[in-house]
Amino acid sequence: MCALSFVLLYMSSIIWIFVYVSPIIGGFLVMSVEHTFGKKYALSLFISTSLLSILLLPDKEPGLVYAFFFGFYPLIAERLDSIKPNAVSFIIKLLIFNAGILASQLIIIYVLGVPIDNDVGKWGIPLFIVLFNILFVIYVKMYPFILYFYIKKLENRIKNIIK
């Protein structure tokens, strides 16, 4: 699974839209490993994929986005979902998401020295933040459905393959 996650993150070097899609798919792989094999294996998948992608990918952005949010979110999603009321749970998720994305983008800009490509002028960064938050809302709403699909359609097949 680590190799598959890494290859998905590497695809962002070839297809630009994968910069944001591959960390999400990688997170779903962590979700599947956690549900099938347990939190310990999912944590090792997250750590190994994060380290490999940050160290070896030519484009560091997908590795950082994976490491700072989408890779570890499946490991904390159940605990965050247990917070009541649901509005508080969602606000905490949103704060964690924005902190992770902000940290990854600050590392990309100030540590790695990647210049800000801003084709839309002064509205580029606020537009990026708004669009990424919309992506997050879609991700959070989609997450339980992906988990349900995995449990009902894929989990037994994966267990049979591994036996």
Side-chain angles (χ1 to χ4, degrees):
M1 285 294 209
C2 180
L4 179 59
S5 295
F6 180 79
V7 168
L8 284 169
L9 292 169
Y10 185 79
M11 290 296 293
S12 65
S13 300
I14 300 166
I15 304 168
W16 69 270
I17 193 68
F18 267 54
V19 168
Y20 304 111
V21 172
S22 60
I24 294 171
I25 297 171
F28 288 138
L29 291 175
V30 172
M31 173 200 68
S32 66
V33 168
E34 179 184 14
H35 191 272
T36 305
F37 303 107
K39 201 171 274 293
K40 183 172 76 171
Y41 290 104
L43 182 63
S44 66
L45 171 63
F46 162 67
I47 291 171
S48 58
T49 303
S50 295
L51 290 174
L52 284 173
S53 62
I54 290 170
L55 293 174
L56 300 177
L57 288 178
D59 182 6
K60 305 296 185 206
E61 187 170 11
L64 289 169
V65 170
Y66 174 85
F68 280 90
F69 183 75
F70 289 109
F72 79 83
Y73 179 78
L75 300 172
I76 64 171
E78 189 175 324
R79 181 166 280 158
L80 291 174
D81 287 339
S82 68
I83 297 171
K84 300 295 179 209
N86 290 337
V88 173
S89 173
F90 181 75
I91 290 170
I92 292 171
K93 290 176 188 179
L94 196 60
L95 290 171
I96 292 170
F97 171 75
N98 280 292
I101 296 302
L102 179 64
S104 68
Q105 297 306 310
L106 289 174
I107 290 171
I108 290 165
I109 294 167
Y110 294 110
V111 175
L112 300 176
V114 176
I116 299 172
D117 291 334
N118 195 351
D119 295 333
V120 291
K122 65 182 180 180
W123 296 105
I125 293 174
L127 181 64
F128 175 80
I129 292 168
V130 168
L131 291 176
F132 234 112
N133 278 281
I134 291 170
L135 174 68
F136 170 74
V137 171
I138 293 168
Y139 175 79
V140 167
K141 295 296 181 191
M142 187 174 67
Y143 188 86
F145 296 108
I146 298 293
L147 179 60
Y148 178 81
F149 174 79
Y150 172 75
I151 292 168
K152 293 295 183 191
K153 299 289 184 183
L154 300 175
E155 185 174 33
N156 287 332
R157 292 179 184 173
I158 290 173
K159 285 181 179 178
N160 290 335
I161 291 171
I162 293 178
K163 283 185 181 178

